């Protein structure tokens, strides 16, 4: 499965980030702390699921507001937040286009 992965740099505000993560992730405080300390991915999202990517964007925004240094990876390649935004917008455009085509076909 193609994935978008999230990594957070360790710093003194780690507790604040773990608090934010716990609202979205069903992992223990210890597990999250270990993932951050080991520079591992804290969570992965399905690259092909726009709902999951929207959830990821919301989580990234919360972490950034808290001062976290967040890294996003498409599989193992680091990408920017703009890449995530563009990917989501592309999926939403495709959904809108498909809805328009469906409406046109039903009108005929």
């Amino acid at each position: 499965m193609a994935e978008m992965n999230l990594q957070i740099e360790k710093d003194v505000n780690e507790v604040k980030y773990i608090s934010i993560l716990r609202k979205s992730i069903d992992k223990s405080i210890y597990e999250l702390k270990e993932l951050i300390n080991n520079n591992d991915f804290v969570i992965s999202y399905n690259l092909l699921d726009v709902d999951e990517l929207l959830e990821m964007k919301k989580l990234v925004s919360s972490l950034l507001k808290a001062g976290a240094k967040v890294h996003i990876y498409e599989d193992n390649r680091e990408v920017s937040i703009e890449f995530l935004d563009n990917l989501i917008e592309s999926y939403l455009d495709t959904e809108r286009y498909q809805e328009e085509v469906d409406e046109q076909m039903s009108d005929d």
Side-chain angles (χ1 to χ4, degrees):
M1 173 177 77
E3 293 181 328
M4 292 291 278
N5 302 297
L6 182 66
Q7 182 183 50
I8 301 171
E9 285 186 28
K10 178 180 170 45
D11 68 20
V12 295
N13 294 317
E14 178 181 296
V15 173
K16 191 186 317 181
Y17 310 149
I18 290 172
S19 174
I20 293 168
L21 290 168
R22 295 259 308 154
K23 295 175 185 173
S24 300
I25 303 171
D26 190 28
K27 292 184 179 173
S28 71
I29 293 171
Y30 175 78
E31 286 176 293
L32 292 170
K33 185 173 180 163
E34 285 297 304
L35 290 171
I36 293 171
N37 287 336
N38 294 331
N39 242 359
D40 290 331
F41 299 136
V42 292
I43 190 167
S44 298
Y45 292 91
N46 183 343
L47 179 66
L48 304 175
D49 186 332
V50 70
D51 292 330
E52 285 192 26
L53 295 178
L54 287 166
E55 183 180 315
M56 180 182 200
K57 181 179 176 179
K58 182 178 171 185
L59 178 60
V60 167
S61 294
S62 296
L63 289 166
L64 290 173
K65 285 179 188 171
K69 291 183 181 162
V70 175
H71 299 276
I72 302 170
Y73 292 85
E74 176 191 15
D75 290 321
N76 289 316
R77 178 179 66 109
E78 187 167 5
V79 297
S80 66
I81 293 169
E82 290 80 19
F83 177 89
L84 177 61
D85 290 340
N86 290 337
L87 184 62
I88 290 169
E89 191 58 37
S90 172
Y91 286 157
L92 294 175
D93 284 345
T94 301
E95 284 181 2
R96 285 190 288 268
Y97 175 75
Q98 288 175 334
E99 288 172 5
E100 287 175 16
V101 169
D102 288 346
E103 285 178 22
Q104 288 176 357
M105 293 190 68
S106 66
D107 289 344
D108 290 343

